Amino acid sequence: MRLPFLLLAGALSLVSLTAAAAPVELSFADFFVQPIGARGLEPTVQLKAATGREVRLVGFMVRREQPQAGRFFLTPRPVSMAEHADGDADDLPAATVTVLLPEAQRQRLVAYQPGPVALTGRLEYGPAEDETGRVSWIRLQLAPHALAATPASR
């Protein structure tokens, strides 16, 4: 009787470890409470719960005139930025995610990828200002292997 119990307990422990290692599936629709109320954009329970955790997010890389080393933007729909013409008046949606490369790759420029891309990394939520003065509210810190991933299928 004791042996089957130990085997069952061991199997449940393995399932728990596997489930804990799997990233949280998050979508852009999970970011802000809908409809937007009198208080403006409010983060959802899902976004707050995912903060600090490993998440998987599928979105579109923003096409930029001037890519910035060590980071790029991910949005729920295809977007292009014209930094020279528009300056700070860009058309980025509120649900834009600043994707940060691992420390060892911070000098790397990431080539634009058309179509949806799936990324996995640690989610950060809250205001953070980068060296250019741009403030981001949602960031995805990529794992070292993340850029080897293939584009997501539709």
Side-chain angles (χ1 to χ4, degrees):
M1 180 76 163
R2 187 176 167 120
L3 184 58
F5 175 74
L6 290 175
L7 290 174
L8 179 60
L12 289 175
S13 296
L14 183 59
V15 169
S16 299
L17 289 174
T18 304
V24 174
E25 291 287 332
L26 197 64
S27 75
F28 287 94
D30 296 328
F31 287 4
F32 301 111
V33 174
Q34 296 291 328
I36 299 170
R39 296 181 63 193
L41 291 175
E42 295 181 68
T44 63
V45 172
Q46 295 96 322
L47 180 63
K48 290 179 184 178
T51 300
R53 297 183 61 193
E54 192 83 3
V55 301
R56 181 178 182 275
L57 184 65
V58 177
F60 294 85
M61 188 174 180
V62 173
R63 178 178 283 198
R64 299 183 69 174
E65 284 180 336
Q66 302 170 326
Q68 192 175 357
R71 69 185 65 220
F72 60 92
F73 297 128
L74 195 71
T75 58
R77 59 182 170 76
V79 176
S80 294
M81 285 180 65
E83 292 95 325
H84 283 296
D86 299 335
D88 291 337
D90 59 47
D91 287 332
L92 294 178
T96 297
V97 175
T98 300
V99 179
L100 303 169
L101 274 58
E103 193 65 40
Q105 299 178 19
R106 289 285 162 94
Q107 299 306 312
R108 180 178 173 186
L109 288 174
V110 179
Y112 171 74
Q113 298 291 316
V117 292
L119 299 174
T120 301
R122 185 177 40 81
L123 186 77
E124 299 173 359
Y125 173 74
E129 186 173 342
D130 69 17
E131 63 277 358
T132 68
R134 184 178 200 97
V135 176
S136 64
W137 277 84
I138 305 169
R139 291 163 304 287
L140 188 67
Q141 178 66 56
L142 294 182
H145 65 281
L147 292 181
T150 57
S153 59
R154 287 186 191 243

